[in-house]
Amino acid sequence: MHIRPVKSLRGEVRIPGDKSISHRSIMFGALSEGITEVTHFLRGADCLSTIDCFRRLGIDIEDTTDRILIHGKGLHGLHAPESVLDTGNSGTTTRLIAGILAGQPFTSTLTGDASIQKRPMERIMSPLMEMGADITSLNGNGCAPLRINGGRLKGIHYHSPVASAQVKSCVLLAGLYADSTVTVTEPALSRNHTELMLASFGAEVTSRETTVSIQPHPRLMGQKTEVPGDISSAAYFIAAGLLVPHSEILIHNTGINPTRDGILRAAKAMGADIRQLNIREVSGEPVCDLLVTSSALTGTIIEGSLIPALIDEIPVLAVMAAFAKGTTIIRDAAELKVKESDRIETIVTSLKAMGADITATPDGMIIHGGRQLHQAEIDARGDHRIAMASAIAGLCAQGGMILPDTGCIAVSYPDFLKDLEDLCVRDS
Ligand code: S3P
């Protein structure tokens, strides 16, 4: 795939549903009584993996063109799967489902693709084992495949060493099956979709600062839910609209939950002109339309508690920083190393290949922006966010960008390249 440079970007885009919320809608719908109806569900490969796993656990899930219908069977309605549960490339599916499976009266095995089989699962095995779960990494390396002998669980107060919504959510979901309250405290607040959505399905969840508690054995009831647009997908258009001169893009229906809106805060610190229009609520989540206008960006520091609120946007923020004037420092982001790829390495390698002045650090990177970037062939290493961030860099690089692997983009945004092309204004 050759991404060609553009003159400007103009128009409107409707981004797909939020990946995190789409996963949770299937999981919580499955554990509820009655039907859960989900609109604007993200049909990306990751969320389809979640659907597949719950079908294997005995849940009837209908996918009509405009909605997903989940015929929930309540907290105790899952059946033992007849085969291994394959979570594909999805860390969220793997870690959240593990918490649910730990509380079931049957044994199951979870595995995923080559990337999933390298990602750390001790971070969920350790709290689940503290709750009394019997869970084994079959290759003895702390990664999937995992065998989970579900059973009785006890309440704990878990102090997570990482600000991770996947870890927090895994423990909270296991907490649905525990014998007493389960509490999680994290070092910084990670995305809180599990807390908001589980409460709307009927769970008793209380949150205060970075601590959240859940009461066991609630009666969850099916809901009608609309998934807001994914700010992590909007991020590519935000960056493109800011970087490409003479651009103006209206991004409809973007989730702006404060635990996810770090990209907006970082971009504004860099001098971005982004206006939030028509702020409203969709299924308990704040949403708006974003009007993005080309801006001259300057370097910034991205660190501390801001990191969990923009963790998935760091690849595209690094692209913005490479075109900004001055230095950008990203730190406290060692979590990047355990994403779909080692993102410190993949970002630095890709931007260096294009001529950027960028250096990896143990927990982030330092980017001296402002160099003219040139064409390169970028190996996204099967990581959807690296592929999409590289495509945005290609719009502004001399000669564009060669991206041999665009298949991985389907993990979170199957129509990304088409939606991007629709906005492009080129010399005819
Ligand atoms: C997610 C949490 C984040 C994020 C991932 C989705 C979620 O991962 O990177 O894309 O839906 O809970 P961590 O919890 O590992 O930070």
Side-chain angles (χ1 to χ4, degrees), residues 267-402:
K268 282 180 185 161
M270 296 174 85
D273 179 354
I274 304 173
R275 266 164 280 173
Q276 297 183 13
L277 311 176
N278 193 15
I279 297 177
R280 57 204 185 269
E281 213 177 88
V282 169
S283 299
E285 293 274 349
V287 161
C288 75
D289 304 325
L290 294 171
L291 184 65
V292 181
T293 310
S294 319
S295 306
L297 301 181
T298 50
T300 188
I301 297 179
I302 302 173
E303 62 182 351
S305 60
L306 184 58
I307 295 292
L310 48 65
I311 188 74
D312 292 341
E313 288 66 75
I314 291 178
V316 80
L317 276 163
V319 170
M320 285 161 59
F323 289 99
K325 200 167 158 227
T327 300
T328 294
I329 299 172
I330 300 173
R331 56 181 166 230
D332 304 323
E335 276 294 296
L336 290 172
K337 292 185 182 169
V338 291
K339 294 294 177 188
E340 286 84 329
S341 66
D342 172 346
R343 286 187 179 156
I344 295 184
E345 212 238 303
T346 43
I347 296 165
V348 170
T349 308
S350 304
L351 282 169
K352 256 198 183 142
M354 301 180 75
D357 181 349
I358 178 168
T359 312
T361 62
D363 66 348
M365 60 202 76
I366 300 170
I367 305 153
H368 299 293
R371 284 199 188 171
Q372 170 66 55
L373 302 195
H374 54 72
Q375 193 193 79
E377 185 172 314
I378 299 299
D379 177 2
R381 315 253 185 103
D383 184 332
H384 56 130
R385 302 217 184 274
I386 300 299
M388 288 186 277
S390 301
I392 300 306
L395 297 177
C396 313
Q398 238 163 25
M401 157 80 56
I402 310 290

Side-chain angles (χ1 to χ4, degrees), residues 19-20 24 92 95-96 119 123 163-167 169 191 311-312 335 339-340 385:
K19 181 157 78 71
S20 294
R24 286 157 174 82
T92 308
R95 296 198 178 108
L96 270 61
R119 295 181 68 185
R123 52 179 58 198
S164 159
Q166 293 179 358
V167 171
S169 303
R191 64 192 66 192
I311 188 74
D312 292 341
E335 276 294 296
K339 294 294 177 188
E340 286 84 329
R385 302 217 184 274

